[in-house]
Amino acid sequence: QLLAGTQLDPEQVHSKWEPYHALYPDFILARAKAALAPPLTVTLSLVGETLTAVGSAPSQWITDSRKIARAIPGVSDFKTDGVIDTDELLRRELEASKARLETSAIYFIVETTNLVPGQEDTLTNLTTEVQRFFDLARQAGKGFRLEIAGHTDTSGMERKNDVLSRARAESILAMLVSRGIPKDTLVVVGAKERV
């Protein structure tokens, strides 16, 4: 068909067809986008033979794209320094939230389960942090539960303090549940049970 209308005898023409990758920058970039399938949060650009990714992406995409990019015709270098690892960022946020929860304290009037007055803000902040931790844990695909440990001071009899420490923990659990924290994510222990 190609030779029709020419002076060439098709019987005298031998052809050999091979795959060909055009190395025009626009073609290379389009090929890279198709091969790497970047998330919407990542932008690819090409300067010379250097492909650069900028934005944020999960660890797995970053790892996989580094391997795949080596096989893209026209790309000799692939830079991902400008890509924020969202999994690592999530892990750090989760650890920071966990640390804040582990240092949280609600104070009670001596030998009672009544809160020391003026702790409404502390309780509100605690509820917010618990919800934040749970949301982060879900995003990270992690199982979780929050252990609420009650404590007492050294006054009073040991047996009474054991009961009081657990009652204080139960009191905090009830407050968190009343503020929307799912009860099945919370575990109560007294100070002695935790040791």
Side-chain angles (χ1 to χ4, degrees):
Q1 289 177 338
L2 289 173
L3 297 174
T6 69
Q7 300 294 329
L8 298 173
D9 179 3
E11 297 296 324
Q12 299 299 315
V13 175
H14 300 281
S15 63
K16 181 180 178 185
W17 296 85
E18 294 181 356
Y20 166 73
H21 292 288
L23 298 181
Y24 297 112
D26 290 347
F27 288 9
I28 296 170
L29 189 56
R31 199 176 294 128
K33 288 177 181 176
L36 300 178
L40 296 175
T41 51
V42 171
T43 302
L44 297 177
S45 61
L46 182 72
V47 175
E49 293 184 354
T50 300
L51 182 66
T52 303
V54 176
S56 59
S59 300
Q60 193 62 55
W61 183 85
I62 296 170
T63 301
D64 292 346
S65 66
R66 287 176 181 154
K67 294 174 187 172
I68 296 167
R70 287 183 252 166
I72 300 172
V75 174
S76 62
D77 189 21
F78 181 47
K79 296 186 186 241
T80 57
D81 300 344
V83 179
I84 296 168
D85 184 333
T86 53
D87 293 332
E88 177 61 23
L89 187 61
L90 183 60
R91 187 192 64 73
R92 282 191 214 142
E93 288 178 9
L94 191 57
E95 286 297 320
S97 180
K98 179 177 176 270
R100 286 190 292 274
L101 285 174
E102 288 174 341
T103 58
S104 295
I106 302 290
Y107 296 97
F108 292 84
I109 295 171
V110 175
E111 295 186 8
T112 73
T113 57
N114 300 322
L115 296 181
V116 170
Q119 292 198 84
E120 188 61 31
D121 286 347
T122 303
L123 197 52
T124 298
N125 292 339
L126 175 63
T127 305
T128 301
E129 193 62 50
V130 168
Q131 191 59 59
R132 175 174 168 70
F133 177 81
F134 287 177
D135 290 344
L136 290 168
R138 284 187 192 102
Q139 288 175 44
K142 304 276 185 189
F144 56 86
R145 70 177 187 164
L146 178 66
E147 185 178 275
I148 304 170
H151 294 274
T152 61
D153 58 24
T154 55
S155 66
M157 295 172 46
E158 184 178 353
R159 177 77 184 124
K160 183 180 175 187
N161 282 345
D162 292 344
V163 172
L164 181 59
S165 69
R166 184 162 181 87
R168 285 177 171 179
E170 293 280 359
S171 173
I172 296 299
L173 179 140
M175 289 179 205
L176 289 174
V177 169
S178 73
R179 291 166 177 252
I181 303 299
K183 187 174 183 179
D184 62 350
T185 60
L186 305 172
V187 178
V188 167
V189 294
K192 193 170 185 182
E193 298 171 81
R194 197 168 190 235
V195 175

